[in-house]
Amino acid sequence: EFRITTFIGMLCFLGYQFSYGKIDHGFHFWLWASAILVFLPNQTATVLARSISTRQYYLGVVFFCQVALSLFFTVAGVWKVLVAIYQAAIGEAHAFSIDAFARQIAMHMVDEGSTTPAGGLILANPILGWPLYLGAIYLEVFSLVAVSRAPLHRIWGIFLMLFRFGTMVILGFWNPWSMVIVALFFVSSPFGPEDTDPMRVVRELPLVKSALRLRD
């Protein structure tokens, strides 16, 4: 089976490539997706079009890929929030501080010995990075919630790609493969409606939907 061979090959390749210390987390997306895609039904498009149960099974596998990918983002975001709460409780600077992003850029600059022009701009004006950092945490924390709301798939995927692109522009971390897989499973999601009312998307946003329910 080609898909099983792909997963095993990727597991061996990544195990060898990152067995010397630093791990490139961007490839975790592909490893887990390749494992889940092993369970895709071996059927042609014609069979899928005729059989509702096979088609639902196929879409279920795609959905679990989306869940796996979003789980990486959500775990990272929730961890940031929990650590921020603890740091705030003991009086330390935390992820919700105005200079939080500037501090992270400064730490990266010390580790790497350099920074990007965009990173230098935020270092000089920390408040510029504050909404970007809060927005990134919001995207991460609620990625798992967004999977269950089909109207959000495409726009959420676009913002996740912008988040990864911003990491490159500001911190210099570049991993195009993580952007490709987000585009594949979110921007090109089979569950997202073709024509979505912008206001419907806004109403489906995490926290916004809860606030609207409370108001009603």
Side-chain angles (χ1 to χ4, degrees):
E1 173 62 53
F2 179 74
R3 289 193 295 270
I4 295 176
T5 304
T6 300
F7 166 66
I8 295 175
M10 182 169 290
L11 180 64
C12 293
F13 170 73
L14 295 179
Y16 171 77
Q17 184 175 3
F18 301 119
S19 62
Y20 298 99
K22 182 176 174 58
I23 298 176
D24 191 336
H25 299 288
F27 285 99
H28 287 175
F29 299 129
W30 287 97
L31 180 63
W32 280 84
S34 67
I36 296 171
L37 290 176
V38 167
F39 297 96
L40 279 177
N42 294 318
Q43 302 292 346
T44 64
T46 303
V47 174
L48 290 175
R50 290 200 307 260
S51 173
I52 295 177
S53 60
T54 304
R55 188 164 64 248
Q56 292 300 317
Y57 177 74
Y58 183 96
L59 292 173
V61 173
V62 174
F63 174 74
F64 276 107
C65 280
Q66 294 176 326
V67 170
L69 298 181
S70 62
L71 191 59
F72 283 107
F73 288 107
T74 295
V75 168
V78 170
W79 179 249
K80 287 185 180 72
V81 171
L82 293 177
V83 171
I85 293 172
Y86 171 74
Q87 289 175 320
I90 63 176
E92 291 183 353
H94 48 82
F96 302 127
S97 302
I98 291 178
D99 61 347
F101 200 14
R103 286 173 176 269
Q104 184 169 343
I105 295 170
M107 185 181 300
H108 174 71
M109 184 176 65
V110 171
D111 292 339
E112 301 294 330
S114 63
T115 188
T116 64
L121 179 64
I122 293 176
L123 276 175
N125 305 275
I127 197 170
L128 295 178
W130 189 40
L132 297 177
Y133 203 60
L134 292 181
I137 293 175
Y138 174 83
L139 281 174
E140 288 185 323
V141 169
F142 293 106
S143 283
L144 196 57
V145 175
V147 172
S148 64
R149 302 178 184 180
L152 294 180
H153 284 190
R154 289 194 172 89
I155 189 66
W156 205 269
I158 290 171
F159 276 108
L160 284 176
M161 292 176 68
L162 289 174
F163 163 48
R164 304 299 290 185
F165 181 75
T167 301
M168 179 202 71
V169 172
I170 298 172
L171 295 175
F173 296 147
W174 178 230
N175 190 320
W177 298 110
S178 61
M179 295 177 66
V180 170
I181 199 167
V182 167
L184 180 63
F185 285 104
F186 284 92
V187 181
S188 301
S189 170
F191 304 105
E194 291 296 331
D195 185 17
T196 304
D197 178 8
M199 289 308 300
R200 183 187 177 192
V201 173
V202 172
R203 288 193 295 269
E204 290 292 329
L205 288 172
L207 298 184
V208 173
K209 189 171 186 177
S210 298
L212 290 175
R213 284 177 176 174
L214 289 175
R215 187 191 66 178
D216 296 338

